[in-house]
Amino acid sequence: AHYTTSEGRNASTSLPRQCIDAARGTAVYWGTCRKGLQLCMTEECYMRILCCNVRCSTGKDGDDIWPNRKHTTLEVMRAQNPDLICCQEVLGDQFSFLSSGLPEFDSFGTADGPHSLDVVNTIFYRRAAFRRVSAGGHWLSETPHIAGSKSWDSDCIRLCNWLRLVDLQSGAEFRVVNTHLDHISQLARENQGR
């Protein structure tokens, strides 16, 4: 199926067309059927998954600095009525703001380094819809279990975190995976995506 990203680029996926929709702003969401039926089109059947690169609050982004866009970011997230939100580049101040603005969500995050207090990849999940079974993560490097490790000329430390959840509506257990590939090195992206 083909869809348009939030930046207006055309993209494609192997998901069925009815499972794709584009969100406004900084996010794209995928819907998947809770019952495992690709042709199920009822709203109550769908699990809405939002993916958001919120861009770190320390970025030198001119008029688009975090204080000027944080309320819009939260509005875009809430407007999609998601069940799950996978975020990248979330620093501590952003995590606090988003957590307080999403009180019906629990979360799991993984910091990029062993001594970092910042939660870089964060998965928010709707508390009334899911029960957490387990959670974990690893670094996208040749030494994935060493916190803060990076390889393949990656410009930044990159990681992947995941949650194993039970959908309280259907009883189905599933895993949601959240990652953020390097923005500079093609070699790093190819190896991080394995």
Side-chain angles (χ1 to χ4, degrees):
H2 296 281
Y3 64 97
T4 304
T5 68
S6 59
E7 295 86 22
R9 293 190 311 256
N10 290 325
S12 62
T13 180
S14 60
L15 290 172
R17 181 150 186 76
Q18 65 268 23
C19 291
I20 304 297
D21 194 5
R24 299 178 309 270
T26 61
V28 172
Y29 91 82
W30 284 267
T32 186
C33 180
R34 284 187 152 98
K35 298 176 186 173
L37 306 171
Q38 289 187 352
L39 299 178
C40 177
M41 296 295 288
T42 61
E43 185 68 26
E44 68 273 2
C45 180
Y46 271 84
M47 183 185 317
R48 295 171 64 100
I49 305 167
L50 192 64
C51 181
C52 302
N53 181 326
V54 299
R55 174 74 171 135
C56 62
S57 58
T58 57
K60 294 172 178 51
D61 297 324
D63 289 342
D64 293 328
I65 58 174
W66 176 246
N68 294 350
R69 63 184 160 83
K70 66 183 187 178
H71 294 287
T72 302
T73 300
L74 185 59
E75 287 171 20
V76 168
M77 289 178 175
R78 295 197 64 80
Q80 304 311 310
N81 194 29
D83 296 301
L84 296 159
I85 308 170
C86 296
C87 294
Q88 303 84 41
E89 294 191 39
V90 178
L91 298 184
D93 60 318
Q94 293 169 304
F95 177 76
S96 294
F97 176 78
L98 294 173
S99 294
S100 67
L102 299 165
E104 68 276 26
F105 287 80
D106 282 334
S107 64
F108 171 73
T110 305
D112 63 357
H115 305 292
S116 174
L117 298 177
D118 289 324
V119 179
V120 177
N121 277 10
T122 306
I123 303 170
F124 291 94
Y125 58 99
R126 196 173 289 278
R127 185 178 306 109
F130 306 106
R131 179 177 52 83
R132 184 166 120 177
V133 176
S134 59
H138 62 273
W139 284 262
L140 302 178
S141 73
E142 293 177 296
T143 53
H145 299 294
I146 297 177
S149 61
K150 65 180 186 171
S151 303
W152 313 294
D153 295 322
S154 183
D155 188 56
C156 298
I157 297 167
R158 299 299 186 173
L159 54 107
C160 173
N161 62 332
W162 56 266
L163 279 173
R164 191 159 200 72
L165 300 169
V166 171
D167 177 42
L168 298 177
Q169 180 178 327
S170 69
E173 189 172 312
F174 66 98
R175 183 176 297 193
V176 60
V177 178
N178 183 27
T179 193
H180 189 200
L181 304 181
D182 194 67
H183 65 297
I184 301 289
S185 170
Q186 179 65 27
L187 176 65
R189 285 190 295 273
E190 290 173 9
N191 283 287
Q192 291 167 346
R194 291 183 194 203

